[in-house]
Amino acid sequence: MDAKEIIARRVAREIRPGTLVNLGIGLPSLVANYVPEGIGVYFQAENGVIGLGARPPEGMADENLTDAGGGFVTAVPGAASIDSAMSFGLIRGGHLDMTVLGGLQVDEKGHLANWMVPGKMVPGMGGAMDLVAGARSVVVAMLHTARGEPKILPECSLPLTAERRVDLIVTEMAVIEPTERGLVLNERGPGISVDQILAATAARLIVAGDVPEMRLD
């Protein structure tokens, strides 16, 4: 099991039956592959789809059915297409139960930076700012490091996506909960020790007692 699958499987355990959930571009979109069928979860995408399913089998892609990142997806029974105004109205109106977003950096206060790197060409800011501000729960799904450098830092050096504190950070090494007291280490990745997590994390982590290994079933 590779790092991205570990993250996607663990995040899937956070999704509750009967909820409306937005999955971000890239790694977060893999989460749909590991949510049990028939639990009544509807995945929403900013481009105007409610009811996204898993990625289609090879050769079965429909070029008219994509997520917000342009990746091919499937649709579950009962899915609907809506315009962008309605789609962002759902987000800004507080009707989204959860969003799962990728991250470039997260700081000790739980602030997320994921929408731009200064000096780099980007096609647009997308919906990340609206999602962090509007969703009831925000989960960051990202690799723990980038090119060997920590992504969980005392303070973000990249522009923040929003001032809101996210609710959970899931990496292949750890599950971390941002709180008023700081970042609490709740779970370890498979075969990963607490010392390895601390060594790969620049921000201060609160470790209280034994830290269990994350479940992925």
Side-chain angles (χ1 to χ4, degrees), residues 57-109:
E58 185 72 25
M60 296 297 290
D62 180 343
E63 64 180 14
N64 294 311
L65 186 55
T66 69
D67 59 22
F72 293 120
V73 292
T74 57
V76 302
S81 62
I82 55 179
D83 63 19
S84 293
M86 174 64 78
S87 185
F88 275 84
L90 288 172
I91 298 169
R92 294 173 182 175
H95 304 290
L96 206 62
D97 294 295
M98 175 188 288
T99 185
V100 182
L101 297 171
L104 297 172
Q105 297 175 340
V106 181
D107 70 18
E108 280 187 352
K109 296 180 180 177

Side-chain angles (χ1 to χ4, degrees), residues 84-173:
S84 293
M86 174 64 78
S87 185
F88 275 84
L90 288 172
I91 298 169
R92 294 173 182 175
H95 304 290
L96 206 62
D97 294 295
M98 175 188 288
T99 185
V100 182
L101 297 171
L104 297 172
Q105 297 175 340
V106 181
D107 70 18
E108 280 187 352
K109 296 180 180 177
H111 294 147
L112 170 67
N114 79 337
W115 74 281
M116 73 170 295
V117 177
K120 298 288 186 180
M121 177 67 180
V122 291
M125 64 179 67
M129 295 174 183
D130 295 277
L131 288 161
V132 175
R136 293 170 186 154
S137 175
V138 179
V139 176
V140 178
M142 67 178 190
L143 296 173
H144 205 92
T145 61
R147 299 182 180 87
E149 296 297 321
K151 296 174 69 175
I152 303 174
L153 306 166
E155 187 172 347
C156 292
S157 60
L158 299 176
L160 297 182
T161 305
E163 292 188 352
R164 172 188 171 172
R165 183 174 69 216
V166 302
D167 297 282
L168 199 66
I169 307 163
V170 179
T171 77
E172 77 279 21
M173 298 184 73

Side-chain angles (χ1 to χ4, degrees), residues 180-195:
E180 288 287 345
R181 298 182 294 125
L183 301 178
V184 179
L185 179 59
N186 284 343
E187 299 175 26
R188 298 177 289 109
I192 302 295
S193 69
V194 170
D195 287 342

